[in-house]
Amino acid sequence: SLSRLKAADWLNMESPTRTTRLMVELHECFRTTRRNLKEMGDAAGVPIEPTEQTELCDATMQLPGVVAALVPGAGGYDAVACLY
């Protein structure tokens, strides 16, 4: 069950299903989107994903079963969302 494994381990399952591969792809899309938003915010001097929230989201994404953790909306210290 994916809920018992970290996303980084999902493809290491004995026989990953199509659903598992799609979940890995979704996880990677969220990681890429977060990275791009962080870079864009840093370049513009706008805290779309402040460092404190980056650390919290990164740590949350290391928990078993988590597909993504991110700063929703316009960002800026007030919320974090988690897709589990």
Side-chain angles (χ1 to χ4, degrees), residues 23-80:
M23 293 297 284
V24 169
E25 187 176 331
L26 180 62
H27 173 78
E28 290 303 319
C29 285
F30 273 109
R31 286 175 49 94
T32 299
T33 299
R34 279 189 56 220
R35 183 174 51 251
N36 290 340
L37 284 171
K38 176 76 171 161
E39 289 174 5
M40 183 174 66
D42 290 348
V46 178
I48 295 172
E49 185 177 293
T51 301
E52 297 87 350
Q53 286 179 297
T54 296
E55 293 170 1
L56 178 59
C57 289
D58 288 348
T60 302
M61 287 183 72
Q62 295 302 311
L63 298 173
V66 173
V67 177
L70 57 123
V71 176
Y77 299 100
D78 61 349
V80 171

